[in-house]
């Protein structure tokens, strides 16, 4: 595999993610400020020797992904909450998520179960294929996910997918679909995130508002001295991994936010948008990162 020399770093990132996840499930409660949840998780990752691979995503109900609280965010936890976070060790990231029902809703619980079972089924499928030394195709994984979610009476979100992962690259090119997309791609050794999303809606997301989550896409120098300073920090600290305005505010205050605007208009940054279910319906998510080798298979997270 391409990431061979960094294998131990991926394993360590996975161990940290597992600990953080188990702990997060115990403290997240309805009406907590999202910013408190995000910061607790991010601090715990540092405490355990890792770094956040991207800002903690805390997306409620119809928001499928990409909501991270801003520095002055007053949103509180409620409804169907997706907690999606990543950990990296020396640039080697793992990505994982879980969903919580914070309003004691049968439907939420069923949506959550649908995703968890779909994730389990897709992982068992991959394991069996490796044990019997058969080829694994991405669309077959998608079909397993789709069938499991549909068996609960829901739809998978078809324009969100899992992805291959490499050092400093969270989405390194190969997609793992959440349905049988009829396009066959054979999976090779490597690291992959599998992430089923289930919804009571029609199964598509579209862009919403800007999220305050960014990643570097060009290293062209900005004009102002302050922005060059902020950009230097971003390049050193996050490289090509996503970061957020909350982190920049913490380090540089409100002038840092002005620099983000300058960097964005200078073409340095991609600014991610919230992803919303197209009908405004609820969405659940589950996610693991796995490592695939010729005769070996590990769930890292
Ligand atoms: Mn992912
Ligand atoms: Mn994720």
């Amino acid at each position: 595999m391409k990431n061979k020399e960094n294998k131990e770093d991926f394993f360590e990132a996975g161990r940290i993610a597992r600990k953080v996840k188990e702990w997060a499930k115990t403290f997240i409660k309805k009406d907590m400020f999202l910013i408190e949840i995000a910061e607790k998780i991010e601090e715990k990752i540092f405490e355990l020797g890792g770094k956040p691979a991207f800002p903690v995503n805390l997306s409620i109900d119809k928001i499928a992904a990409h909501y991270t609280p801003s520095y002055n965010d007053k949103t509180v936890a409620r409804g169907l909450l997706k907690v999606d976070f990543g950990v990296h060790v020396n640039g080697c990231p793992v990505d994982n998520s879980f969903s919580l029902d914070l309003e004691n809703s049968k439907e939420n619980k069923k949506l959550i179960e649908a995703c968890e079972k779909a994730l389990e089924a897709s992982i068992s499928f991959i394991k069996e294929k490796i044990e019997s030394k058969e080829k694994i195709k991405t669309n077959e994984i998608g079909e397993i996910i789709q069938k499991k979610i549909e068996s609960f009476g829901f739809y998978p979100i078809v324009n969100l997918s899992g992805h291959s992962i490499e050092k400093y690259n969270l989405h390194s090119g190969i997609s793992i679909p959440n349905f049988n997309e009829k396009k066959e791609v054979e999976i090779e050794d490597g690291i992959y995130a599998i992430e089923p999303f289930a919804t009571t809606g029609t199964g598509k997301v579209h862009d919403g508002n800007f999220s305050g989550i960014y990643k570097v896409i060009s290293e062209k120098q900005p004009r102002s001295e302050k922005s060059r300073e902020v950009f230097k920090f971003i390049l050193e600290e996050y490289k090509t991994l996503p970061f957020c305005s909350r982190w920049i505010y913490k380090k540089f205050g409100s002038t840092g936010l002005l620099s983000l605007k300058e960097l964005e208009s200078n073409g340095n940054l991609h600014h991610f948008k919230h992803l919303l279910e197209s009908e405004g319906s609820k969405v659940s998510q589950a996610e693991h990162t796995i490592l695939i080798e010729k005769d070996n298979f590990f769930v890292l997270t």
Side-chain angles (χ1 to χ4, degrees):
M1 62 179 271
K2 281 182 198 160
N3 299 294
K4 217 166 226 152
E5 68 277 23
N6 303 112
K7 208 168 134 181
E8 190 41 46
D9 289 335
F10 281 104
F11 272 101
E12 181 59 15
R15 282 190 285 269
I16 294 169
R18 274 204 300 272
K19 280 184 199 156
V20 173
K21 182 161 50 185
E22 288 323 306
W23 174 75
K25 283 176 181 170
T26 66
F27 81 76
I28 297 174
K29 298 278 184 302
K30 186 176 183 293
D31 292 333
M32 264 178 91
F33 286 112
L34 294 187
I35 190 165
E36 192 189 343
I37 298 172
E39 289 191 331
K40 277 180 103 130
I41 291 175
E42 289 164 3
E43 276 162 23
K44 192 69 167 181
I45 292 170
F46 282 113
E47 204 184 297
L48 295 175
K51 288 184 176 183
F54 54 86
V56 175
N57 282 215
L58 297 165
S59 308
I60 295 172
D61 290 346
K62 69 174 178 184
I63 306 177
H66 294 173
Y67 191 98
T68 200
S70 56
Y71 75 94
N72 56 356
D73 203 307
K74 297 283 186 287
T75 313
V76 296
R78 60 174 183 83
L80 176 44
L81 176 70
K82 277 82 60 192
V83 180
D84 189 339
F85 70 95
V87 177
H88 81 86
V89 171
N90 298 321
C92 298
V94 297
D95 185 358
N96 67 168
S97 82
F98 60 94
S99 301
L100 294 172
D101 164 39
L102 299 177
E103 57 190 357
N104 207 8
S105 144
K106 264 191 189 154
E107 188 174 65
N108 289 352
K109 288 186 172 65
K110 203 173 152 195
L111 275 166
I112 294 169
E113 197 191 346
C115 275
E116 286 174 353
K117 295 288 187 219
L119 182 57
E120 257 172 47
S122 62
I123 288 173
S124 313
F125 171 79
I126 292 169
K127 200 162 171 258
E128 280 165 27
K129 287 279 181 184
I130 287 171
E131 279 165 3
S132 59
K133 300 196 188 303
E134 285 175 63
K135 289 177 174 146
I136 309 166
K137 289 169 187 155
T138 54
N139 63 311
E140 292 174 343
I141 302 172
E143 187 176 8
I144 300 269
I145 291 171
Q146 177 177 13
K147 280 193 172 149
K148 187 56 88 178
I149 289 174
E150 285 176 356
S151 77
F152 281 80
F154 303 126
Y155 287 108
I157 293 195
V158 296
N159 56 344
L160 289 175
S161 53
H163 44 95
S164 55
I165 293 176
E166 287 172 18
K167 191 172 183 177
Y168 282 113
N169 192 351
L170 265 176
H171 290 245
S172 68
I174 296 171
S175 291
I176 314 284
N178 288 323
F179 70 111
N180 186 350
E181 62 171 1
K182 309 290 179 209
K183 193 178 94 188
E184 290 194 1
V185 179
E186 220 175 89
I187 276 195
E188 293 180 4
D189 296 14
I191 296 183
Y192 298 90
I194 303 181
E195 49 182 316
F197 289 82
T199 180
T200 52
T202 50
K204 276 208 165 147
V205 290
H206 63 248
D207 285 345
N209 294 328
F210 283 112
S211 67
I213 302 173
Y214 305 83
K215 76 168 185 186
V216 173
I217 49 170
S218 156
E219 293 195 23
K220 170 176 79 174
Q221 280 303 304
R223 260 163 177 270
S224 78
E225 203 179 313
K226 181 71 192 177
S227 294
R228 285 203 292 269
E229 183 197 342
V230 172
F231 196 38
K232 185 169 178 278
F233 170 79
I234 290 169
L235 287 170
E236 283 173 3
E237 197 54 35
Y238 311 123
K239 296 194 167 62
T240 43
L241 293 172
F243 63 94
C244 61
S245 58
R246 175 167 48 84
W247 293 352
I248 298 304
Y249 181 83
K250 199 175 235 176
K251 173 83 184 168
F252 296 99
S254 45
T255 55
L257 300 183
L258 292 175
S259 291
L260 275 184
K261 283 212 161 65
E262 187 188 333
L263 289 166
E264 200 181 341
S265 61
N266 194 45
N268 296 109
L269 304 178
H270 171 69
H271 195 172
F272 292 92
K273 288 176 169 172
H274 298 150
L275 296 172
L276 311 175
E277 207 286 327
S278 291
E279 290 189 319
S281 302
K282 291 192 172 194
V283 179
S284 63
Q285 180 201 14
E287 181 174 21
H288 269 311
T289 297
I290 62 174
L291 186 156
I292 295 177
E293 293 177 322
K294 283 242 144 17
D295 322 292
N296 241 335
F297 166 85
F298 304 92
V299 179
L300 296 178
T301 47

